[in-house]
Amino acid sequence: MARVAKKRKQAKRPAKAKATAAVSPVVTKAEKAVESTTKSLDAQMDRVAKARERAQKTGTAAAKKALTNANAKAKDLRAKAAAAKVELAKAKAMDSVRQAEEAAKAKISEMADKLSDKAEKDLAAAVKAFESRWRKTRAKADAKKVKTAEKKAQAKVKAAAKKAATKAKALEKKAAAKAKAEAKKAAKKSAKKKAGRPKKSAAKKAATKKTPGRPKKSARRGRPPKAAKTKATAKKTMARRGRPPKKK
């Protein structure tokens, strides 16, 4: 009785992975390998089915040998397809790790950018606060320095004024001494000139003596002097003063 060849159910092809924004080339290569081995296996299974049908109809040794060879080749293709699927699973696992790593890096980068922006804002605020404090402190210190400089300048001005006054006084004193010395010198010179003049003649002296002078003024003008009181008058005056003597 001839055996009816059972139709082998074709293995379902694995659905293609959805294209992502960044597909790993390793995954793409593994997917292509799985697809290729699956196609080859499907074609070989069709050949096995045909060889089995021929062997069942004819029953010849050649047909049986062809069936055996077809089954052996199908077995090899199944092993290759299984290995390709394992490689695809590995590639996908590694790719998931890569994607997770990239996602983590992107998240960290985003966080770093946010922190950097926040740091810039915080730094600007801190710099502003520091600048305000620094300006106040510096203004206070500068005011103190200016005050000290003003005091020093005033002290220098006072010292210079005192020095100038002393110098002016010394110059005045020197000028006065010089003027006095010059006056004294001029007086001596004048005296020498007078001493060097010729004496007057005897005739001139005699004429000078003969010239009548002004009449002498009276010794005293006004009322004449009172006569001196006598001793008797003085005694009488003394007797009149005071209380009268008591009678005995």
Side-chain angles (χ1 to χ4, degrees):
M1 185 176 175
R3 293 176 65 184
V4 179
K6 292 181 180 179
K7 287 187 178 181
R8 183 182 177 84
K9 291 182 180 180
Q10 293 182 357
K12 291 182 179 180
R13 295 178 183 178
K16 290 183 180 180
K18 292 182 180 179
T20 55
V23 180
S24 173
V26 178
V27 174
T28 304
K29 187 178 179 180
E31 285 176 347
K32 285 181 179 180
V34 169
E35 187 177 357
S36 176
T37 52
T38 303
K39 282 182 180 179
S40 298
L41 180 60
D42 290 343
Q44 186 61 31
M45 291 308 295
D46 289 339
R47 291 190 196 97
V48 168
K50 287 179 182 179
R52 184 178 290 112
E53 188 177 353
R54 192 179 300 113
Q56 287 175 356
K57 282 182 180 180
T58 59
T60 58
K64 288 179 181 180
K65 189 177 181 180
L67 178 60
T68 302
N69 291 335
N71 284 328
K73 195 171 182 180
K75 188 178 180 181
D76 291 339
L77 288 172
R78 281 195 202 96
K80 286 182 180 179
K85 287 177 181 178
V86 170
E87 291 297 325
L88 177 60
K90 286 181 182 179
K92 284 183 176 180
M94 294 301 294
D95 190 55
S96 65
V97 172
R98 180 188 64 81
Q99 287 179 0
E101 187 178 357
E102 287 181 357
K105 284 182 179 179
K107 194 173 182 180
I108 290 169
S109 178
E110 185 180 357
M111 183 184 287
D113 291 339
K114 286 181 179 179
L115 289 174
S116 179
D117 293 340
K118 191 174 183 299
E120 288 295 329
K121 289 178 182 178
D122 292 344
L123 177 62
V127 167
K128 193 174 181 181
F130 172 77
E131 185 180 359
S132 178
R133 288 196 304 272
W134 184 86
R135 285 185 183 280
K136 285 180 182 178
T137 307
R138 188 58 179 266
K140 197 173 181 181
D142 289 347
K144 194 174 181 181
K145 287 179 182 178
V146 169
K147 197 171 182 180
T148 305
E150 284 178 354
K151 284 183 179 178
K152 285 183 179 179
Q154 287 176 0
K156 283 183 180 179
V157 169
K158 284 181 180 178
K162 191 175 180 181
K163 191 175 180 181
T166 306
K167 193 173 181 180
K169 196 172 181 181
L171 289 172
E172 286 176 359
K173 195 173 181 181
K174 191 175 180 181
K178 190 176 180 181
K180 192 175 180 181
E182 285 180 357
K184 196 173 181 181
K185 192 176 179 182
K188 283 182 180 180
K189 197 173 182 181
S190 178
K192 282 181 181 180
K193 282 182 180 179
K194 285 180 181 179
R197 287 178 184 175
K199 293 181 179 180
K200 291 181 180 180
S201 60
K204 283 184 179 181
K205 282 183 179 181
T208 305
K209 284 181 180 180
K210 287 179 181 180
T211 305
R214 291 180 181 179
K216 289 184 180 180
K217 293 180 180 179
S218 59
R220 191 173 179 182
R221 291 181 182 180
R223 293 172 65 185
K226 292 180 180 181
K229 291 181 179 181
T230 59
K231 289 182 180 181
T233 309
K235 283 181 180 180
K236 284 180 181 180
T237 306
M238 290 296 291
R240 287 175 189 172
R241 292 178 183 176
R243 293 173 66 183
K246 291 181 180 181
K247 292 181 179 181
K248 292 181 181 180

